[in-house]
Amino acid sequence: MWLGPEEVLLAGALWVTERANPFFLLQRRRGHGKGGGLTGLLVGTLDVVLDSSARVAPYRILHQTQDSQVYWAVACGSSRKEITKHWEWLENNLLQTLSIFDNEEDITTFVKGKIHGIIAEENKNEQPQSEEDPGKFKEAELKMRKQFGMPEVEKLVNYYSCSYWKGRVPRQGWLYLTVNHLCFYSFLLGKEVTLVIQWVDVTQLEKNATLLFPECIKVNTRDNELYFSMFLNINETFKLMEQLANIAMRQLLDNESFLQDKSLPKPRKPLKNISALKRDLDARAKNECYRATFRLPKDECLDGHTDCTLWTPFNKMHIPGQMFVSNNYICFASKAEEACHLIIPLREVTIVEKADSSSVLPSPLSISTKSKMTFFFANLKDRDFLVQRISDFLQRTPSKKPCSSDREWKWNLADPGCEEVPELPSSSPLAVSPTSALSNRPVSFCAGEVPTASQGLLKLFRRNSEELLGPKGAKEKMKEESWNIHFFEYGRGMCMYRTAKTRELVQKGIPENLRGELWLLFSGAWNEMVTHPSYYADLVEKSMGKYNLATEEIERDLHRSMPEHPAFQNELGIAALRRVLTAYAFRNPTIGYCQAMNIVTSVLLLYCNEEEAFWLLVALCERMLPDYYNTRVVGALVDQGIFEELTREYLPQLSEKMQDLGVISTISLSWFLTLFLSVMPFESAVVIVDCFFYEGIKFILQVSLAILDANMEKLLQCCDEGEAMTILGRYLDNVVNRQSVSPPIPHLHALLTSGDDPPLEIDIFELIKTSYEKFSSLKADDIEQMRFKQRLKVIQSLEDTAKKSVVRAVSSDIGFSIEELEELYVVFKAKYLMSCYWGNNRAAAARRDQSLPYLEQYRIDMEQFKELFIGLTPWSCGAHTPVLAGRLFRLLDENRDSLINFKEFVTGMSGMYHGDLTEKLKVLYKLHLPPALNPEEAESALEATSYFTEDVTTEVSPFVSELDFCLHCESQETQEDKGRRNENGPEKGNFITSKVGCKPGNSLMPYCSDSFTYQDHNIFKSCLVSCQLIVFIYEKSS
């Protein structure tokens, strides 16, 4: 590439001049290319170890004048081809002009001006993205592409100096992390090491330290175990590797290819040696953590965060923590875990005001909301900038219309100078209870349908109200009063202060009248519902009367959803459940419907109306339990792996026993997928759901460990899986909720046995208390880290299972061995994935439908097939290889969709490698008939027949392939020959003589005529035209 002219004092140091003229020198760096001796060897080694090669390209062009000792670097190149192109341009465009000048200073000035002009012209066509990357990073990216043969679409994220341990010897070099590959290059004293690993092939990533290896990163693939160490910042490197591997797993799981966020704002200060892609990935990681911490919608992006303190009126303290600001929310998290969490939706903000600073309260900021709550933040480092950012977001909030005269963007409902802020709909949770607000709102989606309940079904189908008047009713009233006191002190709705006190109340059980409201708030579903007011109603209207595979499965499971509860023994409850499940299936066709969703949704409908239940289901499937409810239940398998790992850590005595019995894989899916609703009495399981919506998956794992711990002695004495399942089933069936005001719902576990003494009852609140006492050390961040590790293992295991299934399905009809088929499958899959990396991502992703059988999921197009054909088949030779590959592709494409699956691919490969002569001739013959021929080739072949009607030695058009000679060879046969052959039967010798135009004594003809009977005319024709072509080539050569 062209360089802004830079002064060079020592032109000959470490460089070899290859070409020269009076004004320019073309030089090659020692250690690159052939030769160089010991000096070149040392220079090459130093370039790799010290990263000189990232800053210094192996080729350069210098400008010189005869009397000057100063040289100017004007161009550099990573390859001889690139630098030669620049050299030729200089010779053709500048040499003649420069010879006119008399003054050497004028020559140098003209050259520098011309080069600057070329660079400016090239920069006009560059994408804005490339301008964000530092110059040194661009050079490293160019080197990476040259070294590993990567195309321009493969983007480098970052690169690090490190050592790769080959045996017990460290090889110092450079690790390049691209979007789709991990690459390493080392050159030490003439020994070169090059590694290229696709992220989709990584099965394990670990950061560890051993006696043999210092602190290092271990990368496992199916075939290799690689160690990298001596990083300057190993934590940053490992985190980035995790992100890239996770993106690759997501691509395997649901075709989500990586798309860079080009709307990412530029940094306030220039960042050295950090690419735009690296900034994008860092922003993604922060966004994911931010959304998970505060249960925010998936499209919420963090704008920034800052240290501050928050005044908490409930304990009269300033709590240190961090403020987070995004497009639609202001959040606060205390440094002390669970001291205080706060979420303030900007749609609720009325006033943002800077207060006067003091020594006690520096840089304070107050934020007021519609619910008449005021939050005081202090110790803000850059308060003015923060207020401006919040003001900008408030201005873009739909319900806000700021006053033009208010410099600090304050909104006050009582200020007559401002436009009146429109009130939120009655669904706002901040002024009143969400449940009470929605219970007064009639909902109807379709005339003639069963009416939709405007409140939870439990209130409509309460069978017995006597419990409400007894001791249980009094206990329930006490719970409600405790929550009302909590609301008074800590606030109610989204802006409630969430503290350890909140968690204690949740552990004691949420009152039935508040359950729906608090589920919505703790899960974050309320935010999505109030920002999409008519989304559910529109979705129900669109999905009514439409049928697909998901709706069929929903209809089958409707009457299996809590059939013992009266709410689902009538059409009102069944219709509500149908609408919610169908609406979600149309919202998220990737998931559609999965078994266990009906059980969870039916419980949600007991405490919420349809719209609330729908948004709770969205929060559950898409955020709180990601990837649980799909055809392969990947998320549940991931958390099952975490559960096994936690069992080894917390219950080591039981872990090995459970592994031998194979119990964990059985129990965890039923426990996790239904949140214990299918294995525990309803009134007890719903308390588990209370804690789950507040704590997340951490609580489910915690309770699961507590259940195993409580049954450890019995489980250790089990002899088989059935006995262990019986013990756990009986235990769970006797977990009771003595405080429930609802009448007990019959719950008969399938594994219960009769005739034994009645088992002891276990109080659900005691079980929850025990789980916190023994296993509260579990952290959400640790679980997310474990999820990544297990996701690699689970998805790669599923891919291996898919490979075995595909190979087993095709092995019976194919001549390849199992091992060969597995290798071909890997190559075939890699070719498909490359189209996702470097081709049209959307088109490639559209080819893979995960609802199809494994055999149909990976398919390639003609261009990909041609590349595989050239690299793998024995018929790839000469200029006609692309033509032959295209015809074979069309022949294999049975359904004519311009794509072939793995079975079709290996069928063609097997015919070429393992077919006998007859099969190969059949294939060759079919390649000269439609559908192998496209219309253009057929027309070209028809024109070519005119050259062969009388004399096969006639000159042929160079634009016609010899392969086309075979198509219309029958046209050479006269009508008399046809009649004579039909009347007298086949006369092999005469027929061949007339067809080929050679004497009967030719040794090739009798062989062909004796080898095949006329029962298979296609084979005879194939043999015949092959002979004709051979004779033609022989006569032409002689």
Side-chain angles (χ1 to χ4, degrees), residues 443-452 537 540-542 544-545 575 579:
V443 183
S444 181
F445 299 107
C446 187
E449 292 290 327
V450 176
T452 304
V540 170
E541 185 176 355
K542 291 177 183 177
M544 292 296 287
R579 282 189 289 269

Side-chain angles (χ1 to χ4, degrees), residues 501-518:
K501 178 67 175 176
T502 312
R503 190 185 73 176
E504 291 176 10
L505 287 175
V506 172
Q507 291 174 24
K508 295 176 182 178
I510 298 176
E512 287 191 352
N513 290 334
L514 297 175
R515 185 161 274 147
E517 172 189 347
L518 294 176

Side-chain angles (χ1 to χ4, degrees), residues 962-973:
E962 285 94 344
L963 293 173
D964 296 316
F965 295 169
C966 311
L967 179 64
H968 294 279
C969 64
E970 276 193 83
S971 62
Q972 300 178 29
E973 185 176 4

